[in-house]
Amino acid sequence: MAARYDRAITVFSPDGHLFQVEYAQEAVKKGSTAVGIRGTDIVVLGVEKKSVAKLQDERTVKKICALDDHVCMAFAGLTADARIVINRARVECQSHKLTVEDPVTVEYITRFIATLKQRYTQSNGCRPFGISALIVGFDDDGIPRLYQTDPSGTYHAWKANAIGRSAKTVREFLEKNYTEDTIATDSEAIKLAIRALLEVVQSGGKNIELAIIRRNQPLKMFSAKEIESQVVDIEKEKEEAEKKKSKKLI
Amino acid sequence: MALENVCNWQAPEALSPHLPGAGDWTVPRGYDRLGFLQTQGPELAHGTTTLAFRFRHGVIAAADTRSSCGSYVECPASQKVIPVHQHLLGTTSGTSADCATWYRILQRELRLRALREGQLPTVAGAAKLLSTMLYRYRGLGLCVATALCGWDQAGPALFYVYSDGTLLAGDVFSVGSGSPYAYGVLDRGYRYDMSIEEAYTLARQAVAHATRRDAYSGGSVDLYHVKESGWERVSREDACMLYIRLQETGEQEEETTPTSP
């Protein structure tokens, strides 16, 4: 009986791949899209909300979670795995405050989550976590940060990124549209996040969940109405841009 | 013992060696333990005067240099202010060996964290670390009474840590057998907005007065200053000469500024 649990599940293939980790990344690609944007004075997280069943209580499905007052994360992949990782991260945030008398830096908690994920790629009898996470927040020095972790345990800092289903499309949209102008103000950064999600989300504003952190302010979750009004603004701007284009043609 | 119970045989007292528990003292066979320790036991080196206070221009740390073991002066020129890193000093009191060891451990911990996080922990963090490390050994006879003096992003910082786990933030601390005498002088002259020279004089006066009255303090007076650019050793002066000098300057000042009756 014990012999079965001695065998590591994540082992190297002959050509140097860790297949379990790569399969975990496939699981992430099946999850609903999440996008993160680092502005000048704001960080934005947007996720695609999966449509809930008729009898399901919408409020209990949350994909954006606060880790501490100044850090929050969104994930793509297996929700149950994410719950475990988020719980451990939240405990670590408080533990760090207790031991070192300072709140965590965004990089510290990202490194903690990444180390946790890596440990599960090198342990007996465990499979890797099937989630990628986008972690955003402000440090004490007032600089906004966005990090992404993946199931292999690596983490990188990004200006803007997307994970989950259609991440590639969204990332291409961001690469084209993330400029100094589009992140110049907070409202522009928020609009960029919503526009990026609208590229891949089916029914528009209803299926988007948005959260922002401004410098020295706690996490703010947008209500459905606020998202709807942003979407309406975006559509107006699109129409006006198209009218200008057609005028030019004539 | 189990074997004794089974065989119905009691080992005679003389054969089983009584090894001391952790932090305990061995007592010769046949003697009453507490009585022996009270009359013949070793006296740990607690005698000292150290002080630290924080003010606008940093943190001052001063200490005497006499290490005593009972009534015997073990070392008249010991180092009671230990640097931890460039912006952190600790004044030590209690058992010299304990203080020295735990400061090395604190240095190691801070260095590891600096490598991991890319910056040193704050003085508050360092004090917290030391206090939690010491708390694990509570009740086992450690005696470390120290004031951590440092300068971090929040400015000058001062914390008192004791080996029972006490951690206090404050502006003025004095530790050791000479501390009541030092507090008398410090409380009279301390202001946050002192100039650097005033602070040096105050610290020297406080330790000098303590060495005069406390038998377990003496030797020389060490003076350190933690500034924004790091710690600096200001001076080491013989305690007796310093006391005489301070008395003379005091008398001169009184002559020039006579107080009206």
Side-chain angles (χ1 to χ4, degrees):
Chain A
M1 266 290 265
R4 262 193 263 158
Y5 291 100
D6 284 335
R7 205 172 301 154
I9 284 179
T10 317
V11 288
F12 280 111
S13 70
D15 56 347
H17 290 259
L18 285 172
F19 278 125
Q20 281 300 307
V21 174
E22 293 184 11
Y23 299 159
Q25 278 158 349
E26 290 299 312
V28 170
K29 286 193 201 150
K30 288 202 165 47
S32 44
T33 321
V35 72
I37 293 187
R38 186 184 84 192
T40 16
D41 304 306
I42 190 176
V43 284
V44 188
L45 277 179
V47 293
E48 172 196 358
K49 252 194 321 200
K50 258 197 296 206
S51 34
V52 291
K54 227 170 146 192
L55 295 171
Q56 198 174 34
D57 192 340
E58 213 180 59
R59 292 167 301 172
T60 57
V61 182
K62 280 267 169 267
K63 280 198 57 170
I64 302 180
C65 311
L67 296 181
D68 201 347
D69 295 326
H70 61 299
V71 191
C72 77
M73 73 172 248
F75 64 90
L78 303 171
T79 316
D81 285 6
R83 203 176 59 232
I84 302 297
V85 170
I86 289 169
N87 276 338
R88 297 255 189 104
R90 283 174 174 161
V91 170
E92 179 61 23
C93 284
Q94 299 312 311
S95 190
H96 184 274
K97 247 192 232 170
L98 192 62
T99 346
V100 215
E101 301 263 313
D102 264 335
V104 291
T105 56
V106 185
E107 205 249 336
Y108 177 91
I109 197 63
T110 308
R111 200 169 353 119
F112 172 80
I113 291 173
T115 315
L116 176 65
K117 287 183 176 177
Q118 190 279 340
R119 210 173 299 142
Y120 277 70
T121 68
Q122 220 177 357
S123 295
N124 288 341
C126 305
R127 59 164 177 80
F129 285 106
I131 64 161
S132 277
L134 286 173
I135 301 153
V136 295
F138 281 87
D139 287 339
D140 261 343
D141 54 12
I143 301 180
R145 294 186 204 273
L146 164 64
Y147 286 92
Q148 185 229 346
T149 64
D150 66 11
S152 65
T154 55
Y155 69 97
H156 300 279
W158 290 77
K159 293 183 195 160
N161 199 6
I163 50 176
R165 192 173 19 224
S166 330
K168 204 150 165 267
T169 323
V170 180
R171 207 175 302 128
E172 279 166 7
F173 175 87
L174 288 170
E175 279 174 14
K176 271 195 222 125
N177 290 281
Y178 184 94
T179 59
E180 285 303 312
D181 294 328
T182 40
I183 55 150
T185 65
D186 293 354
S187 50
E188 286 301 309
I190 295 170
K191 286 218 185 79
L192 180 63
I194 299 182
R195 276 162 55 208
L197 274 175
L198 285 173
E199 293 280 309
V200 293
V201 153
Q202 270 102 0
S203 4
K206 272 189 298 159
N207 278 23
I208 292 180
E209 199 179 298
L210 198 78
I212 60 164
I213 302 185
R214 287 200 170 93
R215 189 175 290 118
N216 294 325
Q217 285 181 30
L219 168 71
K220 178 179 189 301
M221 298 286 303
F222 272 41
S223 66
K225 267 198 220 151
E226 287 170 313
I227 297 177
E228 206 41 59
S229 74
Q230 293 279 347
V231 171
V232 163
D233 284 345
I234 289 171
E235 296 199 333
K236 259 197 234 161
E237 281 173 15
K238 246 197 211 166
E239 276 178 36
E240 284 172 12
E242 275 183 23
K243 272 192 202 155
K244 273 195 194 155
K245 251 198 224 167
S246 53
K247 271 190 188 164
K248 278 192 187 155
L249 281 175
I250 296 173
Chain B
M1 286 180 64
L3 187 58
E4 285 176 350
N5 289 338
V6 165
C7 303
N8 280 327
W9 173 76
Q10 183 69 38
E13 192 63 34
L15 283 180
S16 52
H18 283 281
L19 296 169
D24 204 354
W25 296 98
T26 331
V27 162
R29 244 175 285 151
Y31 282 84
D32 158 48
R33 190 178 162 274
L34 273 171
F36 181 86
L37 284 175
Q38 265 164 14
T39 49
Q40 313 287 347
E43 282 175 51
L44 301 173
H46 290 228
T48 190
T49 307
T50 65
L51 62 89
F53 57 85
R54 71 177 205 122
F55 71 121
R56 179 174 299 282
H57 301 288
V59 190
I60 300 286
D64 74 312
T65 58
R66 177 176 292 176
S67 274
S68 51
C69 195
S71 57
Y72 166 65
V73 176
E74 235 244 329
C75 174
S78 51
Q79 183 91 300
K80 295 190 192 180
V81 181
I82 301 181
V84 181
H85 60 72
Q86 232 217 323
H87 284 85
L88 188 59
L89 283 179
T91 66
T92 60
S93 166
T95 316
S96 323
D98 288 344
C99 290
T101 311
W102 282 100
Y103 265 92
R104 292 192 63 179
I105 295 174
L106 181 65
Q107 272 170 3
R108 188 242 282 158
E109 281 302 309
L110 294 181
R111 178 72 181 130
L112 274 174
R113 271 158 209 271
L115 284 168
R116 254 181 242 148
E117 312 298 326
Q119 61 181 24
L120 281 163
T122 55
V123 183
K128 201 55 171 300
L129 276 168
L130 182 62
S131 135
T132 46
M133 288 195 288
L134 289 172
Y135 183 78
R136 288 168 163 229
Y137 292 82
R138 188 180 148 116
L140 295 176
L142 276 185
C143 187
V144 175
T146 158
L148 277 162
C149 323
W151 189 300
D152 58 27
Q153 292 94 325
L158 176 59
F159 290 87
Y160 169 70
V161 177
Y162 188 56
S163 45
D164 68 354
T166 308
L167 169 61
L168 299 170
D171 286 336
V172 182
F173 286 113
S174 178
V175 190
S177 56
S179 62
Y181 312 108
Y183 270 127
V185 176
L186 276 175
D187 287 337
R188 190 129 191 280
Y190 171 77
R191 273 174 18 250
Y192 186 79
D193 293 305
M194 282 187 289
S195 71
I196 296 181
E197 276 312 312
E198 283 178 322
Y200 287 173
T201 313
L202 180 66
R204 286 188 182 120
Q205 268 179 342
V207 182
H209 281 274
T211 56
R212 179 133 172 102
R213 286 288 175 182
D214 180 30
Y216 298 107
S217 304
S220 315
V221 176
D222 271 341
L223 182 59
Y224 287 74
H225 182 188
V226 186
K227 306 184 237 204
E228 197 169 357
S229 51
W231 64 262
E232 182 203 341
R233 190 201 210 195
V234 178
S235 64
R236 169 175 274 210
E237 285 176 82
D238 179 77
C240 301
M241 306 303 294
L242 175 63
Y243 185 78
I244 295 171
R245 182 163 69 78
L246 289 170
Q247 289 294 89
E248 281 172 1
T249 10
E251 278 165 17
Q252 275 173 9
E253 275 175 24
E254 271 184 42
E255 275 173 28
T256 50
T257 58
T259 48
S260 47

